[in-house]
Amino acid sequence: MTEIVVLAGGVGGARYLRGVREAAARRWPDGSGGSTAHITAIVNTGDDAWLAGLRITPDLDSVMYTLAGVSDEQRGWGRVGETERVSAELREYGVGWPWFTLGDLDLGTHIARTSWLREGEPLSAVVKRLQSRWPIGIDLVPMTDAEVETNVQVADETSGSRLMHFQEWWTRHRAGIPAERFVQVGIEGAVPAPGVLDAIEAADALLIAPSNPVVSIGTILAVPGLRDALRSAPARVVGVSPIIAGAAVRGMADACLQAIHVETSATGVALHYGARDGSADGLLDGWLVDTADADAVGQLDAAGITTISRPLFMTDLDASAEIAGAALDLALART
Ligand code: GDP
Ligand code: CA
């Protein structure tokens, strides 16, 4: 059985995973619409937070809802057909973040998750229980069971600088306050969740979704042991650029890359991940750039990253599946 492992953030990760699932079904059909390949998604949990007494896991939820076909595609997040009656009540009490809406259907998920966590189950087990409701065809695994929360250091007139939760910076301030740096609070003591290292070791293809390179993929790679596991895995590591023609396709990844002094370009992100054979902690064997960035191919090939240019807009399922198929081809190619 072909084993595929994908590192993924939220919305970009979800769209890509839908493509990977479809590409696998086309390549290795099981005769009933699915695939004989096995797909594991290692998902960022750095955006998680405690809110109104509940543990919320935005990236895991984006991926689960999208793969289950119950996400609100128009709005870009949350459940389709969502209402916000409970959120309105919470606002009256001054509970939670007024700029962060918890939908009623979504709250069902948060309450279920939190009740299992409070019974002592680790997040990875909770995620398994949540996804057993929907046959999504991909095993979702949080990067770690530990509570890791991305904070953003921003300039402050009175105290010089201060930390705020990533969600406040991203959702409330729309990444409009210049970030000085990102801090993954709790990451030092974190270990990869059960199954993460085994999946990486057993993989035939290791894919990096076109997710935010700093706060989605960067956070996953910051879990102690995870980057080394990728670097020493037998399978090839192939990523897809989230940057096309010098701009993030959706969202504000630009503001994150600026903070870590990485150029917002397909080349900049590839060199930031690094060539597995080159830099001390590089991890890429292959990289896909958009046709608009075709002139990056020569430089990246020379740097030791086999690079292919092709259309990278995930406009629909077919386009996403073609992109994922190209990444799989590159990862499974043997020279
Ligand atoms: P988030 O956690 O919801 O912010 O989502 P991710 O981190 O998984 O993905 C966000 C990234 O996806 C953004 O930085 C975008 O550049 C990238 N992205 C979104 N749509 C596309 C697309 O159609 N093609 C490519 N190549 N990248 C995309
Ligand atoms: Ca996210």
Side-chain angles (χ1 to χ4, degrees):
M1 184 167 48
T2 307
E3 293 283 348
I4 301 166
V5 171
V6 188
L7 307 194
V11 176
R15 282 173 184 258
Y16 186 64
L17 282 166
R18 210 161 40 178
V20 172
R21 182 175 65 182
E22 178 64 19
R26 292 177 186 178
R27 238 149 260 242
W28 303 283
D30 68 357
S32 53
S35 159
T36 59
H38 178 242
I39 306 168
T40 305
I42 300 170
V43 182
N44 171 44
T45 59
D47 302 359
D48 294 7
W50 282 101
L51 194 58
L54 301 170
R55 189 70 181 160
I56 61 164
T57 62
D59 285 2
L60 280 163
D61 288 355
S62 292
V63 168
M64 184 173 77
Y65 292 155
T66 301
L67 290 170
V70 298
S71 60
D72 189 332
E73 299 281 319
Q74 235 99 53
R75 192 172 53 167
W77 55 273
R79 294 277 296 271
V80 72
E82 186 62 286
T83 50
E84 294 167 5
R85 299 189 66 195
V86 177
S87 236
E89 287 296 296
L90 291 173
R91 217 164 278 143
E92 292 297 324
Y93 288 118
V95 167
W97 291 327
W99 38 267
F100 197 93
T101 301
L102 299 168
D104 296 336
L105 296 174
D106 208 15
L107 274 163
T109 307
H110 303 325
I111 292 169
R113 171 188 308 113
T114 307
S115 70
W116 292 327
L117 286 172
R118 286 200 188 286
E119 283 164 17
E121 289 197 44
L123 181 62
S124 50
V126 167
V127 168
K128 243 183 222 140
R129 274 178 91 165
L130 288 173
Q131 72 171 106
S132 70
R133 177 175 169 196
W134 288 294
I136 60 174
I138 292 182
D139 280 339
L140 303 185
V141 187
M143 63 186 199
T144 180
D145 278 334
E147 278 185 19
V148 172
E149 294 189 3
T150 301
N151 282 19
V152 187
Q153 186 174 310
V154 299
D156 185 273
E157 280 170 18
T158 44
S159 57
S161 70
R162 67 188 170 101
L163 290 176
M164 66 170 74
H165 193 285
F166 172 73
Q167 292 295 353
E168 183 176 358
W169 182 73
W170 187 256
T171 306
R172 183 183 190 185
H173 299 291
R174 312 291 305 157
I177 307 175
E180 292 174 346
R181 67 189 183 110
F182 297 93
V183 185
Q184 284 101 14
V185 178
I187 199 108
E188 310 78 26
V191 295
V196 166
L197 296 181
D198 290 344
I200 291 172
E201 168 71 26
D204 298 295
L206 289 162
L207 305 182
I208 298 180
S211 289
N212 188 309
V214 185
V215 293
S216 292
I217 303 299
T219 306
I220 298 173
L221 295 175
V223 175
L226 217 144
R227 182 182 272 268
D228 285 344
L230 286 170
R231 280 173 51 73
S232 58
R236 296 186 8 131
V237 179
V238 175
V240 173
S241 177
I243 305 298
I244 296 179
V249 179
R250 294 178 192 82
M252 305 161 290
D254 188 34
C256 302
L257 287 165
Q258 271 177 27
I260 63 162
H261 310 293
V262 171
E263 182 187 82
T264 303
S265 69
T267 307
V269 174
L271 295 176
H272 171 62
Y273 287 146
R276 174 142 67 155
D277 290 340
S279 54
D281 60 354
L283 50 92
L284 287 180
D285 297 296
W287 186 239
L288 302 189
V289 301
D290 190 80
T291 39
D293 299 307
D295 56 1
V297 172
Q299 185 190 349
L300 291 175
D301 275 341
I305 302 168
T306 306
T307 304
I308 287 174
S309 74
R310 66 167 337 280
L312 287 190
F313 283 104
M314 298 187 285
T315 42
D316 56 19
L317 176 61
D318 196 54
S320 307
E322 294 284 329
I323 295 166
L328 281 170
D329 282 344
L330 192 50
L332 295 169
R334 290 276 170 237
T335 47

